[in-house]
Amino acid sequence: MGFDISLVWAVIIFAGVMMYVVTDGFDLGIGLLFPFVSNRTKRDLMMNSVAPVWDGNETWLVLGGAGLLAAFPRAYAILLSALYLPLIFMLLGLIFRGVAFEFRFKANDRERPIWDIAFMAGSLLASFFQGVALGAYIDGVKVNGDAFAGGALDWVKPFALFCGLGVVVIYALLGATWLIMKTEHTLQHTMIGVARRLTWLVLAAIAIAIVSIWTPIAHPHIAQRWFTLPNLLWFCPVPLLVLLCVYALQRSLSHAPHAGPFLCALALMFLGYTGLAISIWPNIVPPSLSIWDAAGPLQSQGFTLLGTLFIIPFILGYTTWSYYVFRGKVRPGEHYH
């Protein structure tokens, strides 16, 4: 079997988007958790826990989007046409949130609450519409030849909107477990309580409602892939792994938690993300456009792949280094602005 450059690109895009979901997920979760904490000093601690790294997390989103354009231009054109509005709303949320992040540290006591609200609203907007775009993507895109054949509001469906709420919940769980790892004393205890409730909500709303019930009912082609042999044998351990992660997360919250809850939350997200990838594989535009059908010219894929493989180690390097340098607990009085 020869070298499949389209497959390599699919893995790179999959990994890039996964890295974005992991790194920016807990980042967005910080803003979603602001309503649970009213004290200004504690909110400062929450923001300082991500202040050194938050603006580099979107690098992975850029990598995923640029890789899609470079390697699968047909899919890029179709998906952007289908998801223009939710993606625009998501980007507006990210921009609004980024501005609020910077201005909040420079605002006086009278103006600071305004930027707190802006930070919460931007985080909610970005998280919700990421989930909406995901739900619309799973729902499938109408394609006619090389073009999107649907309407501008095709994404406004109950499944997509519910997925938006699901992403908000799991990002909040990631944010809570991140703060458990990065803070201490009262704020950490508050986040332990929040994480306990969010864990059961994630299990009920996402693992059971969306994945186990709604997805196979609404998408027969996915149900056929899940529940026919030999695929059924591969999927059988997934529910057990999800329950194991939930048990491990709840147990770690009861025993002087540090990094354990965050790692368990990441494992839950990874199971859901890889399950999605397996469910639609090898389609890059569900339900029928495969990675090979959407691939660009071989020369174009090869040229951009060389540049991508050159730059990825640098992205991994500075990301790892920044998290290593700012490891440990965040304490009152420490500032990064």
Side-chain angles (χ1 to χ4, degrees):
M1 185 172 66
F3 178 72
D4 192 340
I5 194 170
S6 295
L7 179 59
V8 174
W9 265 115
V11 172
I12 290 174
I13 294 171
F14 170 85
V17 175
M18 178 65 191
M19 286 297 297
Y20 169 75
V21 169
V22 168
T23 56
D24 215 37
F26 68 79
D27 190 346
L28 288 166
I30 299 298
L32 297 173
L33 293 169
F34 257 39
F36 295 94
V37 179
S38 58
N39 180 271
R40 170 184 167 178
T41 301
K42 292 179 182 178
R43 286 185 171 183
D44 287 345
L45 281 174
M46 293 168 70
M47 297 190 77
N48 280 330
S49 72
V50 294
V53 297
W54 75 272
D55 50 353
N57 293 338
E58 281 83 6
T59 305
W60 297 105
L61 181 63
V62 175
L63 175 65
L68 186 65
L69 172 61
F72 306 106
R74 185 179 175 191
Y76 181 89
I78 292 170
L79 291 175
L80 253 68
S81 299
L83 303 174
Y84 262 136
L85 288 177
L87 291 178
I88 286 173
F89 293 146
M90 179 198 77
L91 291 174
L92 287 174
L94 290 175
I95 293 169
F96 205 60
R97 174 179 167 276
V99 172
F101 197 109
E102 298 295 339
F103 274 71
R104 182 186 179 277
F105 284 99
K106 300 173 175 62
N108 56 39
D109 292 340
R110 181 173 56 86
E111 297 172 343
R112 187 181 297 266
I114 298 174
W115 293 112
D116 282 348
I117 294 172
F119 183 65
M120 288 184 279
S123 300
L124 178 61
L125 191 67
S127 302
F128 177 72
F129 280 103
Q130 282 184 27
V132 169
L134 173 63
Y137 178 76
I138 297 172
D139 250 344
V141 179
K142 298 176 183 177
V143 178
N144 183 11
D146 290 335
F148 171 58
L153 297 178
D154 279 7
W155 53 274
V156 185
K157 296 179 181 178
F159 181 78
L161 298 177
F162 196 78
C163 285
L165 295 176
V167 168
V168 168
V169 173
I170 197 166
Y171 278 3
L173 176 62
L174 280 174
T177 53
W178 168 264
L179 289 172
I180 290 169
M181 182 174 65
K182 296 293 290 184
T183 63
E184 53 192 359
H185 305 312
T186 308
L187 180 57
Q188 187 190 54
H189 293 316
T190 300
M191 289 301 118
I192 290 173
V194 171
R196 287 188 186 279
R197 297 190 292 272
L198 288 174
T199 302
W200 296 118
L201 191 56
V202 166
L203 180 64
I206 299 177
I208 296 177
I210 295 181
V211 176
S212 301
I213 300 175
W214 201 336
T215 300
I217 291 176
H219 308 94
H221 60 285
I222 294 180
Q224 184 179 10
R225 175 170 292 195
W226 286 2
F227 302 122
T228 56
L229 294 173
N231 293 340
L232 182 60
L233 299 177
W234 294 101
F235 276 104
C236 278
V238 174
L240 297 177
L241 290 173
V242 169
L243 292 175
L244 181 62
C245 286
V246 170
Y247 171 77
L249 202 163
Q250 291 287 356
R251 183 176 174 82
S252 65
L253 290 172
S254 304
H255 297 84
H258 180 55
F262 184 64
L263 295 177
C264 291
L266 289 181
L268 275 173
M269 175 175 286
F270 180 76
L271 286 171
Y273 189 73
T274 51
L276 166 65
I278 294 170
S279 298
I280 65 173
W281 177 261
N283 297 322
I284 194 168
V285 180
S288 58
L289 187 65
S290 72
I291 61 172
W292 300 284
D293 294 331
L298 185 61
Q299 297 86 345
S300 176
Q301 284 188 323
F303 178 76
T304 51
L305 180 62
L306 290 176
T308 302
L309 293 178
F310 175 78
I311 199 66
I312 285 177
F314 290 96
I315 300 175
L316 287 170
Y318 77 67
T319 300
T320 303
W321 180 248
S322 62
Y323 280 93
Y324 174 76
V325 168
F326 295 101
R327 67 193 182 279
K329 300 287 186 180
V330 178
R331 294 179 173 83
E334 295 179 339
H335 300 285
Y336 299 104
H337 278 67

